[in-house]
Structures are given as C-alpha cells and as structure tokens.
Amino acid sequence: MDAVRVALLREVLAGTEWLGATRRFAGALRGSVVSHGGGLLLVGTPEFEPWHLAAHLVDEAAWSGTPELAPTLVRHDARPSDPAHLAVGLGRLEAARRGETLLVVSPEGPAAPLLERVSGARRAGATVLSLGPGEGELPGMAHECLAVPDGSELDLDTVQHLVSAAAGENSLPTPRGRRRFRDRVWRLAEHLTAPPPARW
C-alpha cells in the first residue's frame, strides 16, 4: 500500500477510533526506538511472519531519516544458509536487552514458547509492544498494545499499514507520560519474585 492509498484510507477512517489508536501506537513505537536507540526486533508466529510490516518499516526508516525504525525480523524457521536479513532466529530474543524494542505481531495469541521468550526479553529490560488480539497473555506483558480483534472493522494487514506510515511521520509526538498501572504492577511482581541477591 503506497502513501496515496494510506491517505485515502485515512480519509475513509476519519472520525473512527482507528486513526488515533494507530497514531498513538506508532508514536509509542517510534518514541521507544528513537529514545533508546537500541534497535527494533520484529517477530510474529510460525504461521504468521510480519514480512510486509518489516519491509514497510525499512522504507519508512529511509524516508523519514529515522534509521532506528528499520527492524530486525526474527524468524521461527531461520537457517544459517538464509540471506543475512532473514537468518535471525528466535535465539535473538533471548539476547534482547535494555534499550531494545520488541514488536510482536500476531493475528492470534502466540504459543507458550514465544511468550516465554517475550517475557524474558521484558525482564531483561526490552520494551515490548503488541499488535494483534487484545486478549491473552501477550497484551498483559506488553508496555503498549494495539488490539485488532478478530471480526473488527479493519484487518491486521490494514492496521500494519497505518502503523508503519504513522511511525514514519516526523510530526509524531514522543509519548513518554506516566507509566500505566499494569506496568507498575508488572515491575512490582518482577521485584517480588526475583531471587535474592547473592552475598559473598
């Protein structure tokens, strides 16, 4: 979908909640990668790899002069013989650290093995964003979530176009407000369940 089609789609969606929601989510994405500068990891599920979103974010990164938006596509079936940009496997999520942003895109809730890796990335300090169903475990561990429930007016593919286009807009504010209640509870739970520090 090119810029003209995105503009037409935005006209059609004027007055709906989708424009504001996609812009807010895109602002959170852009704000996270630009302010932290640690890189953007993009992952889907074995059945749904967000190739299309990765390509659009690469384009938006180039057009907006925001190289931080160009993602590393993390793949479930990556092989060492794949081209370098397609050879990044799930082990990369285990190496995620503070300053990095992890965007999980899924039409359905991810399975337990991926959720464990996402949870581990969050515990290591990565910012987690979720694009997909608004229920299940993933939205609960995400710092920001844009819900695209099954049967909603827009499908996930269309929402991805709106998010990538909005992320590349230079006029987007960087949302850095107060932490949501869920984030504070998550941090408290992490603190309470962490093992005690080793004493020598």
Side-chain angles (χ1 to χ4, degrees), residues 110-143:
L114 179 57
L115 286 172
E116 288 170 17
R117 286 184 162 101
V118 172
S119 178
R122 179 172 171 136
R123 281 193 306 273
T127 300
V128 176
L129 290 88
S130 164
L131 182 57
E135 52 193 31
E137 291 183 56
L138 181 60
M141 68 176 70
H143 294 90

Side-chain angles (χ1 to χ4, degrees), residues 74-146:
V74 178
R75 300 182 58 225
H76 290 261
D77 295 321
R79 296 180 302 271
S81 60
D82 290 335
H85 68 289
L86 299 176
V88 179
L90 291 176
R92 178 62 181 86
L93 299 183
E94 294 163 12
R97 294 291 173 256
R98 183 170 305 284
E100 292 185 306
T101 302
L102 172 58
L103 172 55
V104 184
V105 183
S106 169
E108 299 172 358
L114 179 57
L115 286 172
E116 288 170 17
R117 286 184 162 101
V118 172
S119 178
R122 179 172 171 136
R123 281 193 306 273
T127 300
V128 176
L129 290 88
S130 164
L131 182 57
E135 52 193 31
E137 291 183 56
L138 181 60
M141 68 176 70
H143 294 90
E144 290 290 335
C145 175
L146 178 56

Side-chain angles (χ1 to χ4, degrees), residues 45-60:
T45 63
E47 301 78 24
F48 180 85
E49 289 192 328
W51 305 80
H52 208 62
L53 179 58
H56 280 292
L57 285 171
V58 167
D59 289 343
E60 293 296 339

Side-chain angles (χ1 to χ4, degrees), residues 7-190:
L8 289 172
L9 178 60
R10 284 176 171 169
E11 269 186 47
V12 170
L13 294 173
T16 71
E17 65 181 31
W18 286 107
L19 287 185
T22 53
R23 281 201 162 114
R24 275 190 302 277
F25 186 79
L29 171 62
R30 182 178 174 127
S32 179
V33 298
V34 170
S35 63
H36 295 137
L40 173 59
L41 303 173
L42 177 61
V43 68
T45 63
E47 301 78 24
F48 180 85
E49 289 192 328
W51 305 80
H52 208 62
L53 179 58
H56 280 292
L57 285 171
V58 167
D59 289 343
E60 293 296 339
W63 293 332
S64 67
T66 312
E68 299 91 345
L69 281 175
T72 298
L73 181 61
V74 178
R75 300 182 58 225
H76 290 261
D77 295 321
R79 296 180 302 271
S81 60
D82 290 335
H85 68 289
L86 299 176
V88 179
L90 291 176
R92 178 62 181 86
L93 299 183
E94 294 163 12
R97 294 291 173 256
R98 183 170 305 284
E100 292 185 306
T101 302
L102 172 58
L103 172 55
V104 184
V105 183
S106 169
E108 299 172 358
L114 179 57
L115 286 172
E116 288 170 17
R117 286 184 162 101
V118 172
S119 178
R122 179 172 171 136
R123 281 193 306 273
T127 300
V128 176
L129 290 88
S130 164
L131 182 57
E135 52 193 31
E137 291 183 56
L138 181 60
M141 68 176 70
H143 294 90
E144 290 290 335
C145 175
L146 178 56
V148 188
D150 195 29
S152 61
E153 304 90 349
L154 297 183
D155 62 9
L156 185 58
D157 188 51
T158 304
V159 172
Q160 288 178 82
H161 283 291
L162 291 170
V163 167
S164 62
E169 292 175 348
N170 288 319
S171 60
L172 273 175
T174 338
R176 287 321 255 174
R178 294 174 53 195
R179 285 189 185 149
R180 293 186 305 173
F181 176 73
R182 184 169 54 189
D183 292 335
R184 294 194 303 268
V185 170
W186 178 275
R187 291 208 182 277
L188 177 62
E190 284 180 343

